[in-house]
Amino acid sequence: TEYNVDDEILFLEKKFSKAQEEFLLLPRYRSGEPDDPNSEVNTWCVDALGNMVDCNSEKLIKRNNPNQPFILTLKSSNQPVTGIVHSNPNYKGNYSEYAYKNGLLHGCGFYRRHDGTIQHMWLYENGETIMRKYFDNDDSDNNYVAYYKNRKQFYSTYKRWGL
């Protein structure tokens, strides 16, 4: 199907602005390592092939299948998560926040540096990436935005990386 790239980019940018506004209104849940008693969501590990595995035994739980994405659930009820799942700062002080709807990534996702500045931003829709932004605080020439449609990147603002 043919489409106008400029119109599609404008459409995604509008979606991104709306998702950022909605992000602030969503409930928040803490994620953590699989054995973290303070984690409010069920966590798992992913092997090199993208399969869901038990973090301790590495036993296969579910094979990676793009047509059947992983559903993130709450520990308390095993119901799909709708809200923000945030991590605590890791050893470098970085942390992330991702919006979920019915257990799938849906809305904004942020990866922040230890100083609180945003390094990566994503826009998801029903578990799929539809937009990605990267910010290099030291060199604005290395900032870029990539846009996706039907699971494929169709445009990027940064050419040196071949995106």
Side-chain angles (χ1 to χ4, degrees):
T1 308
E2 290 187 29
Y3 57 91
N4 183 305
V5 171
D6 292 335
D7 289 346
E8 192 67 24
I9 289 171
L10 182 61
F11 177 71
L12 290 176
E13 288 289 350
K14 285 181 181 178
K15 274 189 173 187
F16 190 75
S17 292
K18 185 173 187 294
Q20 285 180 298
E21 292 172 16
E22 293 171 351
F23 189 84
L24 302 172
L25 304 174
L26 294 170
R28 299 176 68 79
Y29 303 100
R30 178 180 165 186
S31 70
E33 296 300 318
D35 56 353
D36 182 351
N38 295 318
S39 175
E40 297 173 277
V41 298
N42 288 311
T43 55
W44 59 79
C45 291
V46 178
D47 67 11
L49 300 174
N51 299 316
M52 184 190 306
V53 296
D54 179 277
C55 294
N56 297 318
S57 69
E58 296 188 15
K59 180 181 174 184
L60 179 69
I61 297 171
K62 183 177 177 184
R63 290 205 182 279
N64 182 13
N65 180 343
N67 298 320
Q68 296 176 340
F70 300 142
I71 303 294
L72 186 64
T73 57
L74 296 167
K75 276 187 176 179
S76 60
S77 64
N78 279 330
Q79 294 300 309
V81 173
T82 294
I84 305 299
V85 175
H86 67 93
S87 66
N88 282 349
N90 65 18
Y91 68 97
K92 292 182 180 178
N94 300 331
Y95 61 99
S96 60
E97 303 169 294
Y98 295 95
Y100 285 82
K101 182 177 180 181
N102 298 322
L104 295 174
L105 287 163
H106 190 90
C108 290
F110 298 93
Y111 184 79
R112 298 179 188 270
R113 294 179 182 91
H114 66 281
D115 63 3
T117 59
I118 296 172
Q119 181 173 353
H120 295 277
M121 295 170 68
W122 289 269
L123 179 61
Y124 298 97
E125 193 166 78
N126 299 319
E128 291 185 34
T129 302
I130 59 174
M131 191 168 153
R132 179 176 54 138
K133 296 184 177 192
Y134 175 82
F135 305 96
D136 185 338
N137 281 355
D138 298 329
D139 182 1
S140 62
D141 289 338
N142 284 331
N143 297 342
Y144 74 84
V145 182
Y147 302 91
Y148 300 82
K149 187 174 181 82
N150 300 325
R151 299 179 189 248
K152 293 183 177 153
Q153 182 178 308
F154 69 85
Y155 184 78
S156 171
T157 60
Y158 191 65
K159 305 295 181 200
R160 281 193 283 171
W161 289 353
L163 298 171

